[in-house]
Amino acid sequence: MPEKYQEFDAADYVKTDADVRELLRAATDEDLGDGAVIRAVLKHDARTHDRST
């Protein structure tokens, strides 16, 4: 039987600024040196948080 996958969206789990900080901290640990993981976290943060307040 083939495995079924659901699309992962960090917005389902990252709700507070503290969550974003922890995600960014984890991204710096996991990044391979090219910044791709860190850029993905920053893109997610910009996409999901309203910066107008």
Side-chain angles (χ1 to χ4, degrees):
M1 173 183 265
E3 294 182 37
K4 294 182 181 180
Y5 295 95
Q6 293 180 352
E7 185 174 331
F8 174 79
D9 188 355
D12 293 337
Y13 304 95
V14 180
K15 302 292 185 189
T16 67
D17 287 343
D19 292 340
V20 172
R21 284 191 297 273
E22 288 300 316
L23 184 60
L24 189 55
R25 186 173 292 126
T28 59
D29 291 342
E30 297 296 324
D31 193 74
L32 299 176
D34 62 358
V37 177
I38 296 168
R39 281 191 305 275
V41 169
L42 294 173
K43 180 179 176 182
H44 160 76
D45 185 44
R47 180 177 56 89
T48 59
H49 287 84
D50 181 18
R51 298 295 183 186
S52 64
T53 58

Coordinates of all heavy atoms in Angstrom, one line a residue:
M1 N 0.8 -1.2 0.0 CA 0.0 0.0 0.0 C 0.9 1.2 0.0 O 1.8 1.4 0.8 CB -0.9 0.0 1.2 CG -1.7 1.2 1.4 SD -2.7 1.3 2.9 CE -4.2 0.7 2.2
P2 N 0.7 2.1 -0.9 CA 1.5 3.4 -1.0 C 1.2 4.3 0.2 O 0.1 4.3 0.7 CB 1.1 4.0 -2.3 CG -0.2 3.4 -2.6 CD -0.3 2.1 -2.0
E3 N 2.3 4.9 0.7 CA 2.2 5.9 1.8 C 1.5 7.2 1.3 O 1.7 7.6 0.2 CB 3.5 6.2 2.3 CG 4.2 5.0 3.0 CD 5.5 5.4 3.6 OE1 5.6 6.5 4.2 OE2 6.4 4.6 3.5
K4 N 0.7 7.8 2.2 CA 0.1 9.0 1.9 C 0.7 10.1 2.7 O 1.0 9.9 3.8 CB -1.4 9.0 2.2 CG -2.2 8.0 1.3 CD -3.7 8.0 1.7 CE -4.4 7.0 0.8 NZ -5.8 7.0 1.1
Y5 N 1.0 11.2 2.0 CA 1.6 12.3 2.7 C 0.7 13.6 2.6 O 0.0 13.8 1.6 CB 3.0 12.7 2.0 CG 4.0 11.6 2.1 CD1 4.2 10.6 1.1 CD2 4.8 11.5 3.2 CE1 5.1 9.6 1.2 CE2 5.7 10.5 3.3 CZ 5.9 9.6 2.3 OH 6.8 8.6 2.4
Q6 N 0.8 14.3 3.7 CA 0.1 15.6 3.7 C 1.1 16.7 3.6 O 2.2 16.6 4.1 CB -0.8 15.7 5.0 CG -1.9 14.8 5.1 CD -2.7 15.0 6.4 OE1 -2.3 15.7 7.2 NE2 -3.8 14.3 6.5
E7 N 0.7 17.8 2.9 CA 1.6 18.9 2.8 C 1.8 19.5 4.2 O 0.9 19.7 5.0 CB 1.1 20.0 1.9 CG 2.0 21.1 1.7 CD 1.6 22.1 0.6 OE1 0.8 21.6 -0.3 OE2 1.9 23.2 0.7
F8 N 3.1 19.8 4.6 CA 3.4 20.4 5.9 C 3.4 21.9 5.7 O 3.9 22.4 4.8 CB 4.8 19.9 6.3 CG 5.3 20.6 7.6 CD1 4.8 20.2 8.8 CD2 6.2 21.7 7.5 CE1 5.3 20.8 10.0 CE2 6.6 22.3 8.7 CZ 6.1 21.9 9.9
D9 N 2.7 22.5 6.7 CA 2.7 24.0 6.7 C 3.1 24.4 8.1 O 2.3 24.1 9.1 CB 1.3 24.5 6.4 CG 1.3 26.0 6.2 OD1 2.3 26.7 6.5 OD2 0.3 26.5 5.8
A10 N 4.2 25.0 8.3 CA 4.7 25.4 9.6 C 3.7 26.3 10.3 O 3.7 26.4 11.5 CB 6.1 26.0 9.5
A11 N 2.9 27.0 9.5 CA 2.0 28.0 10.1 C 1.0 27.3 11.0 O 0.4 27.9 11.9 CB 1.2 28.7 9.0
D12 N 0.8 26.0 10.8 CA -0.1 25.2 11.7 C 0.5 25.0 13.1 O -0.2 24.7 14.1 CB -0.4 23.8 11.1 CG -1.2 23.9 9.8 OD1 -1.9 24.9 9.6 OD2 -1.1 22.9 9.1
Y13 N 1.8 25.3 13.3 CA 2.5 25.0 14.5 C 3.2 26.2 15.1 O 3.4 26.3 16.3 CB 3.5 23.9 14.3 CG 2.9 22.6 13.8 CD1 2.9 22.4 12.4 CD2 2.3 21.7 14.6 CE1 2.3 21.2 11.9 CE2 1.7 20.6 14.1 CZ 1.7 20.3 12.8 OH 1.2 19.2 12.3
V14 N 3.6 27.2 14.3 CA 4.3 28.3 14.7 C 3.3 29.5 14.9 O 2.8 30.1 13.9 CB 5.4 28.7 13.7 CG1 6.2 29.9 14.1 CG2 6.3 27.5 13.5
K15 N 3.0 29.8 16.1 CA 1.9 30.8 16.4 C 2.4 32.0 17.0 O 1.8 33.1 16.9 CB 0.9 30.1 17.3 CG 0.2 28.9 16.8 CD -0.6 29.2 15.6 CE -1.3 27.9 15.1 NZ -2.0 28.1 13.9
T16 N 3.5 32.0 17.8 CA 4.0 33.1 18.6 C 5.4 33.6 18.1 O 6.0 32.8 17.4 CB 4.0 32.8 20.1 OG1 5.0 31.8 20.3 CG2 2.7 32.3 20.6
D17 N 5.8 34.7 18.5 CA 7.1 35.2 18.2 C 8.2 34.3 18.8 O 9.2 34.0 18.3 CB 7.3 36.6 18.7 CG 6.6 37.7 17.9 OD1 6.2 37.3 16.8 OD2 6.4 38.8 18.4
A18 N 7.9 33.7 20.0 CA 8.8 32.8 20.6 C 8.9 31.5 19.8 O 10.0 31.0 19.7 CB 8.3 32.4 22.0
D19 N 7.8 31.1 19.2 CA 7.9 29.9 18.3 C 8.8 30.2 17.1 O 9.6 29.4 16.6 CB 6.5 29.5 17.8 CG 5.6 29.0 18.8 OD1 6.1 28.6 19.9 OD2 4.4 29.0 18.6
V20 N 8.7 31.4 16.5 CA 9.5 31.8 15.4 C 10.9 31.9 15.8 O 11.8 31.4 15.0 CB 9.0 33.2 14.8 CG1 10.0 33.7 13.8 CG2 7.6 33.1 14.3
R21 N 11.3 32.4 17.0 CA 12.6 32.4 17.4 C 13.2 31.0 17.5 O 14.3 30.7 17.1 CB 12.8 33.1 18.8 CG 12.7 34.7 18.6 CD 13.0 35.4 19.9 NE 12.1 35.0 21.0 CZ 11.0 35.7 21.3 NH1 10.6 36.7 20.5 NH2 10.3 35.4 22.3
E22 N 12.4 30.1 18.1 CA 12.9 28.7 18.2 C 13.1 28.0 16.9 O 14.0 27.3 16.6 CB 11.9 27.9 19.1 CG 11.9 28.2 20.5 CD 13.3 28.0 21.1 OE1 14.0 27.0 20.9 OE2 13.8 28.9 21.9
L23 N 12.2 28.3 15.9 CA 12.3 27.8 14.6 C 13.5 28.3 13.9 O 14.3 27.6 13.3 CB 11.0 28.1 13.8 CG 11.0 27.5 12.4 CD1 11.0 26.0 12.4 CD2 9.7 28.0 11.7
L24 N 13.8 29.6 14.1 CA 15.0 30.2 13.5 C 16.3 29.6 14.1 O 17.3 29.4 13.4 CB 15.0 31.7 13.6 CG 16.0 32.5 12.9 CD1 16.1 32.2 11.4 CD2 15.8 34.0 13.1
R25 N 16.2 29.4 15.4 CA 17.4 28.8 16.1 C 17.6 27.4 15.6 O 18.8 27.0 15.3 CB 17.1 28.8 17.6 CG 18.3 28.3 18.4 CD 18.1 28.4 19.9 NE 18.0 29.8 20.3 CZ 17.0 30.3 21.0 NH1 16.0 29.6 21.4 NH2 17.1 31.6 21.3
A26 N 16.6 26.6 15.4 CA 16.7 25.3 14.8 C 17.2 25.4 13.4 O 18.0 24.5 13.0 CB 15.4 24.6 14.9
A27 N 16.8 26.4 12.6 CA 17.2 26.5 11.2 C 18.7 26.8 11.2 O 19.4 26.3 10.3 CB 16.4 27.6 10.5
T28 N 19.2 27.6 12.1 CA 20.6 27.9 12.1 C 21.4 26.6 12.4 O 22.5 26.4 11.9 CB 21.0 29.0 13.0 OG1 20.6 28.6 14.4 CG2 20.4 30.3 12.7
D29 N 20.9 25.7 13.2 CA 21.6 24.5 13.5 C 21.5 23.5 12.3 O 22.5 22.8 12.1 CB 20.9 23.8 14.7 CG 21.1 24.5 16.0 OD1 22.0 25.3 16.1 OD2 20.3 24.2 17.0
E30 N 20.4 23.5 11.5 CA 20.3 22.6 10.5 C 20.8 23.1 9.1 O 20.9 22.3 8.2 CB 18.8 22.2 10.3 CG 18.2 21.5 11.5 CD 18.9 20.2 11.8 OE1 19.2 19.5 10.8 OE2 19.1 19.8 12.9
D31 N 21.0 24.4 9.0 CA 21.4 25.0 7.7 C 22.8 24.4 7.3 O 23.7 24.2 8.1 CB 21.5 26.5 7.8 CG 21.6 27.1 6.5 OD1 20.6 27.2 5.7 OD2 22.7 27.6 6.1
L32 N 22.9 24.1 6.0 CA 24.1 23.5 5.4 C 25.2 24.5 5.1 O 26.3 24.2 4.6 CB 23.8 22.7 4.2 CG 22.8 21.5 4.4 CD1 22.5 20.9 3.1 CD2 23.4 20.5 5.4
G33 N 24.9 25.8 5.4 CA 25.9 26.8 5.1 C 25.6 27.7 4.0 O 26.2 28.8 3.8
D34 N 24.5 27.4 3.2 CA 24.1 28.2 2.1 C 23.0 29.2 2.4 O 22.6 30.0 1.6 CB 23.8 27.4 0.9 CG 22.6 26.5 1.1 OD1 22.0 26.5 2.2 OD2 22.2 25.8 0.2
G35 N 22.4 29.1 3.6 CA 21.4 30.0 4.1 C 20.0 29.6 3.6 O 19.0 30.3 3.9
A36 N 19.8 28.5 2.9 CA 18.5 28.1 2.4 C 17.5 27.8 3.4 O 16.3 28.2 3.3 CB 18.7 26.9 1.4
V37 N 17.9 27.1 4.5 CA 16.9 26.8 5.6 C 16.5 28.1 6.3 O 15.4 28.3 6.6 CB 17.5 25.8 6.5 CG1 16.6 25.5 7.7 CG2 17.9 24.5 5.8
I38 N 17.5 28.9 6.6 CA 17.2 30.2 7.3 C 16.3 31.1 6.4 O 15.4 31.7 6.9 CB 18.5 30.9 7.6 CG1 19.3 30.1 8.6 CG2 18.3 32.3 8.2 CD1 20.7 30.5 8.8
R39 N 16.6 31.2 5.1 CA 15.7 32.0 4.2 C 14.3 31.4 4.2 O 13.3 32.2 4.2 CB 16.3 32.0 2.8 CG 17.4 32.9 2.6 CD 17.8 33.1 1.1 NE 18.1 31.9 0.4 CZ 19.2 31.3 0.4 NH1 20.3 31.8 1.0 NH2 19.4 30.2 -0.3
A40 N 14.2 30.1 4.2 CA 12.8 29.5 4.2 C 12.1 29.9 5.5 O 10.9 30.2 5.5 CB 12.9 28.0 4.1
V41 N 12.7 29.9 6.7 CA 12.1 30.3 7.9 C 11.7 31.8 7.8 O 10.6 32.2 8.2 CB 13.0 30.0 9.1 CG1 12.5 30.7 10.4 CG2 13.2 28.6 9.3
L42 N 12.6 32.6 7.4 CA 12.3 34.1 7.3 C 11.1 34.3 6.3 O 10.2 35.1 6.5 CB 13.5 34.8 6.9 CG 14.6 34.8 7.9 CD1 15.9 35.5 7.3 CD2 14.2 35.5 9.2
K43 N 11.1 33.6 5.2 CA 10.0 33.7 4.2 C 8.7 33.3 4.9 O 7.7 33.9 4.7 CB 10.3 32.8 3.0 CG 9.2 32.9 2.0 CD 9.6 32.0 0.8 CE 8.5 32.0 -0.2 NZ 8.8 31.1 -1.4
H44 N 8.7 32.2 5.6 CA 7.5 31.7 6.3 C 7.0 32.8 7.3 O 5.9 33.1 7.3 CB 7.8 30.4 7.1 CG 6.8 30.2 8.2 ND1 5.5 29.7 7.9 CD2 6.9 30.4 9.5 CE1 4.9 29.6 9.1 NE2 5.7 30.0 10.0
D45 N 8.0 33.3 8.1 CA 7.6 34.4 9.1 C 7.0 35.6 8.4 O 6.0 36.1 8.8 CB 8.8 34.8 9.9 CG 8.5 35.7 11.0 OD1 7.5 35.5 11.7 OD2 9.2 36.7 11.2
A46 N 7.6 36.0 7.3 CA 7.0 37.2 6.6 C 5.6 36.9 6.0 O 4.8 37.7 6.0 CB 8.0 37.6 5.5
R47 N 5.4 35.7 5.6 CA 4.2 35.3 5.0 C 3.1 35.1 6.0 O 1.9 35.5 5.7 CB 4.4 33.9 4.2 CG 3.1 33.4 3.5 CD 3.4 32.1 2.8 NE 4.0 31.1 3.6 CZ 3.3 30.2 4.2 NH1 2.0 30.2 4.2 NH2 3.9 29.2 4.9
T48 N 3.4 34.7 7.2 CA 2.3 34.4 8.1 C 2.1 35.4 9.2 O 1.1 35.3 9.9 CB 2.7 33.0 8.8 OG1 3.9 33.1 9.5 CG2 2.7 31.9 7.8
H49 N 2.9 36.4 9.4 CA 2.8 37.4 10.4 C 2.5 38.7 9.9 O 3.1 39.2 8.9 CB 4.0 37.4 11.3 CG 4.1 36.3 12.2 ND1 4.7 35.1 11.8 CD2 3.7 36.1 13.5 CE1 4.7 34.2 12.8 NE2 4.1 34.8 13.8
D50 N 1.5 39.4 10.4 CA 1.1 40.7 10.0 C 2.1 41.7 10.6 O 2.2 41.8 11.8 CB -0.3 41.0 10.4 CG -0.8 42.4 10.0 OD1 -0.1 43.0 9.1 OD2 -1.7 42.9 10.6
R51 N 2.9 42.4 9.8 CA 3.9 43.3 10.3 C 3.4 44.7 10.4 O 4.1 45.6 10.7 CB 5.1 43.3 9.4 CG 5.8 41.9 9.3 CD 6.4 41.6 10.6 NE 7.1 40.3 10.5 CZ 7.6 39.7 11.5 NH1 7.5 40.2 12.7 NH2 8.2 38.6 11.4
S52 N 2.1 44.9 10.1 CA 1.6 46.3 10.1 C 1.2 46.8 11.5 O 0.9 48.0 11.7 CB 0.3 46.4 9.2 OG -0.7 45.6 9.7
T53 N 1.3 45.9 12.5 CA 0.9 46.3 13.9 C 2.1 46.7 14.7 O 3.2 46.3 14.4 CB 0.1 45.2 14.6 OG1 0.9 44.1 14.7 CG2 -1.2 45.0 13.9

